[in-house]
Amino acid sequence: MTNKNDSVPVLVAVAWPYASGSRHLGHLAGAYLPADVFARFQRFVGNEVLMVSGSDVHGTPITVRADSEGTTPGEIVDRYHKEFLDNWEKLAISWDLYTSTGTDNHSDVTHDVFMKLFKKGYIDKRSSEQFYDQDAGRFLPDRYIEGVCPHCEYSEARGDQCENCGRTLDPEELIKPISKISGSEPTLKETEHFYLRLSDFQEPLSEWLSGREGWRNHVLNFSKGWIEEGLHDRAITRDLDWGIEVPVEGIGDGKKIYVWFEAVIGYLSAAKEWSKNNGLEDDWKKWWSNPDSRSVYFIGKDNVPFHTIIWPAMLMGYGGLNLPSNVPANQYVTFKGGKASASRGIGLTITRSLEVFEADSLRYALAASFPEQSDTEMTVEEICRRINEELVATWGNLVNRVLSMIYNSCDAQIPSPELRNDEDMALLERIDQIVELVAEEIDKVELRSALQKGMSGAAEVNAYLNSMEPWKLSKTDPERAATVLGTALSAIAGVRVCLAPYLPFSTEELNDVFGPINSWQREEPQHGKKIEKPKPLFKKVDISLLDLDD
């Protein structure tokens, strides 16, 4: 367990969502909620957390949507950035900074990284053939092209990635490419662009990946597979009119830095922005240049190569900046067998979900099904079952049950711990062990397992109550009944610590009874403190009343 005096700087770097459409529960379960649980825990144990992300405002999905709606990319960005901010507030996602890639700060940091790599020879200029739409009279960025994936034969692969098999692609690899603008088959035309010399980092990346311990197998295997196939240099500019300006001349007009290169720089630019906002100009270095710091990147598995190969290569080339400590990429959330996808409209949106589920209830149901090791099927029925049969029936009812008995039979005062016997102490020892086990699991980013262990603590308290039967003791031995209830309440205080990173709203609701959580340990409730008449922490969900189509 980390002590306050041994505080470690922990960078929690979270995937940047495209501001091109509503995010769905797959995004929330894949990156944003896991990051929040992890960050909250790290703060509880006394570490110095910087949790950053922001809206990606330059992705081609934004321009594709703007074209389809007959509006501007800026209007699309403004609409969805506001929606994201509203989602995060309602879910209590505890950002230290949520920004966007549209700031002057981000552009400045992107130019700094570009120029440093350019001057060191890791970026060079090349001529290449890229797809051109003769009917539209323009070059086609990756997302403006669809075709058949050469690896899995999926018929709707994009020019940058196949959503079916997760492979990143170059547009020229697609079979039967089609322009999304005109529907015609594009032709190849020569153009000039700047390239990142990924091949220069083949050996250092291989050596670095071979030393990664505690990483998820699917992340390491996928990344090492990329290395073994041989790294290819990749164009980092595109023929676009929406994006960050190229800081050097020589490739003609109408070029912008491409999103996959500049978006990952957002983790660094956001840290610098946070420092400036807080009047601490160089404080960002605490997380980026300190060898004792940790940097944990929360992403979906389709973003693995960008965070385990391309971004580390850029960091190596730049020099003096920390590489990722861990990239615990989650697998996919599927809805009725199909991968949740904003672009294809598959999956329940976060906004719609928050209209029908309480925030803590939604957080719990998703966390209990985090796709950490394998793809996870998500349905409205399963969300409701998790809420009703687990959160409400096990945890919510336990808290309400014990507080109600104390309110009714102990004069609404928290009982004294003085008369506890061995059975009482054994329960508290088990709860304290569970608190430690949950800490170990969360620190390893095994968040689903940690939640299960935390809920096992609630089951332990329920078993203790059923064994002791304080409702009967209150009639025959009220002193013993009070001790049992006080012990159960103390155990609940420990379980509350375990669940606090997952359930921020209901955790805070119990502050009147227990006080705020200031450390990762069970605190004894204040003996003699008056409590108010308890109210249920959570509402049961009646699925028949929900007007949802998942």
Side-chain angles (χ1 to χ4, degrees):
M1 183 64 57
T2 302
N3 296 315
K4 295 272 185 183
N5 295 333
D6 301 322
S7 178
V8 174
V10 180
L11 175 69
V12 180
V14 194
W16 293 58
Y18 285 132
S20 60
S22 300
R23 299 298 94 178
H24 51 63
L25 294 188
H27 294 115
L28 183 57
Y32 305 105
L33 184 53
D36 186 60
V37 171
F38 182 78
R40 286 176 177 276
F41 164 77
Q42 295 296 339
R43 296 187 189 107
F44 282 135
V45 301
N47 285 330
E48 202 166 359
V49 172
L50 181 62
M51 176 168 144
V52 296
S53 185
S55 299
D56 183 340
V57 306
H58 294 137
T60 45
I62 294 163
T63 58
V64 170
R65 182 159 198 143
D67 288 346
S68 69
E69 293 187 10
T71 186
T72 65
E75 197 283 329
I76 298 295
V77 164
D78 289 345
R79 181 195 313 169
Y80 290 106
H81 182 65
K82 289 175 184 176
E83 181 178 318
F84 297 167
L85 290 172
D86 182 64
N87 289 164
W88 307 144
E89 181 180 2
K90 289 177 178 176
L91 285 161
I93 304 296
S94 57
W95 306 108
D96 291 289
L97 179 68
Y98 185 84
T99 179
S100 86
T101 58
T103 65
D104 290 341
N105 170 77
H106 178 69
S107 180
D108 291 343
V109 176
T110 297
H111 285 169
D112 174 58
V113 173
F114 185 106
M115 292 306 299
K116 182 71 71 73
L117 295 173
F118 180 72
K119 289 175 181 178
K120 288 186 174 183
Y122 295 125
I123 290 175
D124 60 28
K125 181 176 66 173
R126 305 180 192 182
S127 294
S128 64
E129 288 189 326
Q130 293 192 5
F131 280 123
Y132 186 84
D133 187 326
Q134 297 281 3
D135 295 339
R138 59 182 288 186
F139 282 100
L140 297 174
D142 304 348
R143 291 269 181 136
Y144 281 83
I145 308 166
E146 284 189 353
V148 177
C149 175
H151 302 285
C152 69
E153 298 184 350
Y154 177 62
S155 62
E156 296 179 23
R158 303 189 308 255
D160 61 344
Q161 190 170 48
C162 175
E163 284 201 336
N164 185 57
C165 68
R167 298 288 291 265
T168 57
L169 301 169
D170 288 320
E172 302 79 42
E173 297 179 73
L174 289 175
I175 302 167
K176 298 180 180 178
I178 294 294
S179 167
K180 291 189 69 174
I181 297 175
S182 65
S184 63
E185 183 178 347
T187 58
L188 290 170
K189 184 175 180 179
E190 188 170 308
T191 184
E192 281 194 316
H193 284 289
F194 284 108
Y195 279 69
L196 176 65
R197 296 176 57 89
L198 266 184
S199 57
D200 290 351
F201 299 94
Q202 175 89 24
E203 291 305 318
L205 281 171
S206 179
E207 182 179 348
W208 175 69
L209 283 171
S210 67
R212 300 306 92 206
E213 295 181 358
W215 284 32
R216 292 179 180 168
N217 288 334
H218 69 271
V219 174
L220 270 181
N221 292 339
F222 189 91
S223 304
K224 289 179 178 179
W226 252 57
I227 298 289
E228 290 167 3
E229 289 180 8
L231 295 181
H232 301 286
D233 303 338
R234 293 176 66 91
I236 60 170
T237 55
R238 289 292 192 275
D239 295 278
L240 290 167
D241 55 10
W242 178 255
I244 293 177
E245 298 290 338
V246 181
V248 291
E249 297 180 354
I251 56 171
D253 297 330
K255 314 281 186 178
K256 294 291 189 292
I257 296 177
Y258 198 45
V259 65
W260 70 257
F261 179 84
E262 55 102 349
V264 288
I265 297 173
Y267 303 118
L268 177 61
S269 68
K272 291 188 175 185
E273 183 180 342
W274 177 89
S275 290
K276 290 176 185 176
N277 291 348
N278 289 278
L280 304 166
E281 195 71 21
D282 291 328
D283 213 42
W284 62 273
K285 294 178 181 177
K286 188 183 300 179
W287 291 273
W288 283 96
S289 302
N290 178 359
D292 295 324
S293 68
R294 296 172 64 188
S295 50
V296 184
Y297 289 74
F298 288 84
I299 61 170
K301 71 177 179 181
D302 50 345
N303 279 325
V304 165
F306 297 101
H307 293 78
T308 63
I309 294 174
I310 295 172
W311 179 227
M314 294 164 63
L315 292 169
M316 287 176 179
Y318 188 92
L321 299 175
N322 293 338
L323 300 184
S325 304
N326 197 0
V327 185
N330 272 351
Q331 305 266 21
Y332 292 143
V333 170
T334 60
F335 288 81
K336 296 182 178 179
K339 178 207 162 192
S341 169
S343 63
R344 291 186 289 148
I346 298 174
L348 195 62
T349 67
I350 297 173
T351 298
R352 185 72 183 102
S353 300
L354 286 169
E355 291 172 355
V356 294
F357 297 114
E358 293 177 309
D360 266 6
S361 296
L362 184 62
R363 286 174 64 110
Y364 175 83
L366 295 182
S369 301
F370 278 156
E372 294 172 342
Q373 306 300 338
S374 60
D375 292 351
T376 300
E377 177 75 13
M378 185 73 66
T379 63
V380 170
E381 289 79 7
E382 178 63 5
I383 291 172
C384 293
R385 187 196 68 77
R386 291 280 192 188
I387 294 170
N388 292 339
E389 297 181 13
E390 298 175 13
L391 184 64
V392 174
T394 301
W395 174 237
N397 283 352
L398 170 64
V399 174
N400 190 262
R401 178 186 186 192
V402 170
L403 288 176
S404 294
M405 284 190 285
I406 290 174
Y407 183 84
N408 292 323
S409 63
C410 300
D411 196 25
Q413 292 185 351
I414 295 177
S416 168
E418 294 178 359
L419 300 177
R420 287 176 184 160
N421 61 25
D422 290 346
E423 286 180 290
D424 305 328
M425 297 309 298
L427 171 67
L428 297 181
E429 287 173 10
R430 288 197 298 275
I431 296 300
D432 289 343
Q433 289 170 358
I434 289 172
V435 171
E436 289 293 325
L437 289 172
V438 169
E440 292 172 9
E441 293 286 277
I442 295 181
D443 201 51
K444 294 187 297 184
V445 204
E446 297 293 342
L447 307 180
R448 184 172 176 173
S449 171
L451 180 57
Q452 291 171 348
K453 286 182 171 60
M455 289 296 285
S456 76
E460 290 271 3
V461 184
N462 272 319
Y464 166 83
L465 288 171
N466 291 336
S467 174
M468 297 300 165
E469 299 182 314
W471 49 90
K472 292 183 179 178
L473 286 172
S474 63
K475 300 173 183 176
T476 59
D477 190 348
E479 189 175 71
R480 176 60 186 154
T483 298
V484 168
L485 291 172
T487 300
L489 191 67
S490 184
I492 286 171
V495 178
R496 174 176 174 248
V497 170
C498 297
L499 302 183
Y502 302 86
L503 307 173
F505 293 103
S506 53
T507 297
E508 187 174 342
E509 284 183 37
L510 293 173
N511 282 355
D512 288 344
V513 176
F514 300 104
I517 297 174
N518 295 312
S519 62
W520 193 262
Q521 59 184 4
R522 177 181 61 85
E523 298 283 356
E524 190 67 42
Q526 182 183 338
H527 165 222
K529 182 178 182 178
K530 280 275 190 180
I531 65 169
E532 299 293 326
K533 185 174 183 179
K535 297 180 292 184
L537 286 178
F538 314 104
K539 296 177 183 176
K540 198 167 184 180
V541 180
D542 186 346
I543 193 171
S544 67
L545 300 179
L546 299 183
D547 181 20
L548 284 173
D549 179 11
D550 66 332

